[in-house]
Every structure is written in C-alpha cells, then in structure tokens.
C-alpha cells in the first residue's frame, strides 16, 4: 500500500493531474499473478507483446514530458520591457 497527501502549497494543476490519473479507468499493466489486487479480480494474459508494453510506456512518458514542458512555458513570466519616457524622470514621493 502507499499513501499520498498534498498541502496548501501543492500546485492545483499537479493535484488535478494526480486525481485524473488515479481515476483513469484504463487497466494497469501488472505482472501475472501479482498480489496487488483484490482477491476476486480475474487476471488474464495481456494480448500485448513486451515490446508493445514498453512502447506504450515510452509514449506515455513522452506525452507527460511534452505536457510538462508546455505548462512550464505557459507559467514562465514574460520579460519586462523598459518603459519609454518622454519627459524628465521624477523621483518617487516619500511619505
């Protein structure tokens, strides 16, 4: 068994991605006769070859990496441009 928790500093998109993956109805690839599921679960051999499983896993990782890069690019602050001044600069007033 495993445990997971998020605190108030966890980015919302990370929590959303975690919950989405956790609720994904697609079957998990597990070793035959692994004791990781409920005793009433019926296991059948996968129709996929080991190469197909590895390729699907690689594709899934590539997709996650691309999504992560895209999210990082969206969150990156845009470079500030220097304001143009037409008159003399005035120092900020002090209170």
């Amino acid at each position: 068994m495993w445990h997971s928790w998020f605190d108030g500093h966890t980015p919302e998109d990370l929590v959303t991605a975690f919950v989405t993956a956790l609720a994904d109805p697609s079957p998990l690839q597990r070793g035959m006769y692994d004791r990781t599921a409920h005793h009433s679960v019926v296991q059948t051999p996968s129709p996929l070859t080991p190469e197909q499983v590895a390729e699907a896993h690689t594709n899934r990782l590539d997709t996650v990496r691309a999504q992560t890069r895209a999210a990082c690019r969206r969150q990156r602050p845009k470079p500030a441009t220097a304001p143009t001044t037409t008159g003399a600069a005035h120092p900020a007033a002090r209170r």
Side-chain angles (χ1 to χ4, degrees):
M1 292 293 160
W2 55 271
H3 301 275
S4 177
W5 65 90
F6 300 106
D7 63 14
H9 300 290
T10 306
E12 185 177 329
D13 57 332
L14 180 62
V15 175
T16 302
F18 176 81
V19 171
T20 301
L22 192 61
D24 187 354
S26 62
L28 294 175
Q29 183 70 32
R30 298 183 186 203
M32 197 62 170
Y33 307 111
D34 278 354
R35 312 266 309 157
T36 57
H38 190 270
H39 65 87
S40 67
V41 172
V42 176
Q43 293 185 350
T44 57
S46 173
L48 302 175
T49 65
E51 292 79 16
Q52 290 171 317
V53 172
E55 183 180 349
H57 181 67
T58 302
N59 291 340
R60 197 169 28 242
L61 288 175
D62 290 343
T63 300
V64 169
R65 286 185 188 115
Q67 291 170 343
T68 302
R69 282 192 300 268
C72 288
R73 281 193 298 268
R74 284 192 303 270
Q75 292 177 357
R76 210 176 281 154
K78 295 184 179 174
T81 57
T84 57
T85 56
T86 55
H90 298 287
R94 291 189 166 204
R95 293 182 186 207

